[in-house]
Every structure is written in C-alpha cells, then in structure tokens.
C-alpha cells in the first residue's frame, strides 16, 4: 500500500494534488525557489477551489460558511 510519494519532477503539481486527494505524504523537489513558490500558490488555489465545489470529493460546506461569515463580518465593519 502506497504511503508516500517523492517527486523529483513536480512540474505543475498534478501528482501533488493527487497525493493530497488520497491523503498521501508528498515531497516534491523544485528546481528553484520561484518554482516552489509558484507550485505552492497553484496547489493552494486548486485545493481551495475543490473545497468550495459541491461536486468535488474535497467539498467542505463548513469552509464555505466560514468564508461567507468572514465576508459578511468584513462588510459590516466597512460600513
């Protein structure tokens, strides 16, 4: 049974995303600091988008509610 992945060529993060979905330990070796930063930003956006999509296995209604409450609170303070 697979427990972890060591990725020597993480590219755009597809394998990292799969590892996240399967709850596997993932280590990717980026070529540069810029690559690492861009990869992390890309993964964060993809995971958040999945967590907010009702049709995705990662969907989290509590996250959606928390974000809505945050926006409502911020709007109330800005008045």
């Amino acid at each position: 049974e697979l427990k972890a992945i060591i990725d020597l060529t993480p590219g755009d993060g597809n394998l990292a995303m799969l590892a996240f979905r399967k709850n596997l330990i993932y280590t990717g070796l980026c070529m540069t600091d810029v690559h690492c930063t861009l990869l992390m930003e890309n993964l964060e956006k993809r995971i958040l988008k999945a967590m907010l999509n009702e049709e995705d296995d990662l969907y989290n209604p509590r996250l959606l509610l928390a974000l809505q409450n945050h926006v409502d609170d911020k709007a109330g303070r800005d008045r």
Side-chain angles (χ1 to χ4, degrees):
E1 186 173 313
L2 189 61
K3 301 279 185 195
I5 298 170
I6 297 175
D7 189 356
L8 301 178
T9 56
D12 63 358
N14 286 332
L15 187 56
M17 188 68 187
L18 177 67
F20 183 83
R21 288 182 174 281
K22 299 293 184 183
N23 199 29
L24 297 170
I25 297 166
Y26 175 88
T27 299
L29 302 176
C30 296
M31 300 301 158
T32 66
D33 289 341
V34 171
H35 179 215
C36 186
T37 299
L38 293 173
L39 179 60
M40 291 299 295
E41 289 174 358
N42 179 26
L43 287 170
E44 288 171 3
K45 288 177 189 175
R46 290 170 67 181
I47 291 167
L48 183 59
K49 184 176 179 180
M51 292 176 80
L52 295 174
N53 179 357
E54 290 183 22
E55 296 177 10
D56 197 292
D57 291 341
L58 296 177
Y59 176 65
N60 186 333
R62 293 185 310 171
L63 174 62
L64 183 59
L65 182 61
L67 290 173
Q68 287 172 337
N69 288 339
H70 175 74
V71 169
D72 291 345
D73 289 347
K74 185 172 169 73
R77 281 182 270 149
D78 290 343
R79 290 183 193 160

